[in-house]
């Protein structure tokens, strides 16, 4: 998924720095000026991808967690809930096309 990623499946800061043509420390300084960290950006990308997968596939939450590099489903669910204020299952249910179609008449 991420090319030269760490074993965990998450994008490494070294790889991101190479992609941007910056040194790691320079990338960190730029992110700090924007009020964020590499970890926050990376976690946001993973959650955004998880949202897409939840809505576009029938993968289980466990399959999504493993695909994103989480060692277990509870770690993924906790990170998802922290970011989205609901569980992955609740997100899928609240945003499913079937659910939305019921309210569009």
């Amino acid at each position: 998924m991420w090319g030269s990623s760490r074993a965990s499946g998450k994008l490494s800061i070294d790889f991101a720095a190479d992609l941007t043509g910056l040194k790691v420390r320079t990338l960190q300084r730029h992110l700090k000026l924007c009020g964020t960290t590499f970890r926050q950006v990376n976690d946001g990308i993973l959650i955004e991808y998880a949202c897409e997968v939840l809505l576009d596939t029938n993968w289980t939450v466990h399959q999504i967690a493993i695909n994103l590099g989480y060692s277990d489903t509870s770690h993924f669910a906790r990170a998802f809930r922290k970011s989205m204020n609901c569980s992955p299952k609740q997100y899928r249910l609240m945003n499913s096309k079937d659910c939305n179609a019921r309210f569009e008449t």
Side-chain angles (χ1 to χ4, degrees):
M1 173 171 118
W2 296 110
S4 299
S5 60
R6 297 188 323 222
S8 70
K10 296 181 181 179
L11 180 65
S12 75
I13 194 164
D14 294 318
F15 184 67
D18 285 344
L19 283 175
T20 59
L22 299 172
K23 295 194 182 293
V24 170
R25 185 65 190 122
T26 304
L27 177 58
Q28 290 171 325
R29 278 195 300 271
H30 283 291
L31 291 170
K32 185 175 182 178
L33 287 171
C34 294
T36 192
T37 65
F38 180 77
R39 183 176 183 164
Q40 290 170 322
V41 171
N42 194 41
D43 289 348
I45 291 168
L46 291 176
I47 296 300
E48 185 177 317
Y49 177 72
C51 289
E52 290 178 25
V53 174
L54 282 164
L55 299 181
D56 295 341
T57 72
N58 290 325
W59 290 3
T60 65
V61 172
H62 176 76
Q63 288 171 314
I64 296 169
I66 297 304
N67 182 264
L68 293 177
Y70 286 89
S71 57
D72 79 35
T73 305
S74 64
H75 292 157
F76 165 67
R78 194 174 307 118
F80 191 93
R81 182 182 298 276
K82 182 179 178 183
S83 179
M84 301 302 295
N85 297 316
C86 64
S87 72
K89 288 180 183 180
Q90 290 168 328
Y91 180 86
R92 179 177 267 163
L93 180 63
M94 291 186 306
N95 293 285
S96 72
K97 292 176 182 128
D98 292 338
C99 180
N100 291 335
R102 281 185 250 145
F103 298 107
E104 289 180 357
T105 52

